[in-house]
Amino acid sequence: MNILEMYKKLSKEDKANLSIYCIYDSIYDVAKNEEVELDDKIVTDIQELTYNLYLDDSRNLSLSQIAYFITECYIENETFFDKVKDFDYDDILEAVENDNYDFYKDEIER
């Protein structure tokens, strides 16, 4: 069976969650590349932030691009979520667009 046929057989619920599955795939791809195990709570936190950023995005960034960035930030600094919880989504999206992994460090030092 080819992939198109497999897609057609997906349930409505699975089809509705394809974006979330894409985010999870990106998160686990980064974790695998970095040889890091992420617990389910962190994966869910990354997924939720990624999806919310994607919905708020006016730059047309991809889900994967956002997920990769957020996952890399978390892997680099496990306190990432504490440090960016009050950041405006536009500031985070600008950092994603510019590959600025230090964006939250600059703001904290001020």
Side-chain angles (χ1 to χ4, degrees), residues 29-89:
D29 190 42
V30 172
K32 179 182 173 188
N33 289 338
E34 297 290 333
E35 299 179 356
V36 172
E37 287 271 335
L38 299 174
D39 67 41
D40 289 351
K41 168 78 170 96
I42 291 303
V43 171
T44 301
D45 290 347
I46 294 170
Q47 176 272 310
E48 289 174 352
L49 178 57
T50 297
Y51 193 67
N52 289 334
L53 287 165
Y54 178 74
L55 293 176
D56 197 53
D57 178 30
S58 62
R59 294 171 167 77
N60 297 317
L61 300 171
S62 73
L63 279 168
S64 294
Q65 184 179 5
I66 298 168
Y68 277 110
F69 183 86
I70 298 302
T71 306
E72 288 283 354
C73 286
Y74 174 79
I75 289 172
E76 179 183 315
N77 185 337
E78 291 183 1
T79 63
F80 171 75
F81 284 104
D82 294 332
K83 294 178 179 179
V84 298
K85 67 182 177 196
D86 295 326
F87 272 57
D88 184 72
Y89 280 0

Side-chain angles (χ1 to χ4, degrees), residues 2-15:
N2 70 34
I3 294 175
L4 176 58
E5 291 302 317
M6 291 170 51
Y7 170 79
K8 290 177 181 179
K9 290 183 180 201
L10 289 174
S11 68
K12 285 183 181 183
E13 182 180 359
D14 280 337
K15 286 180 182 176

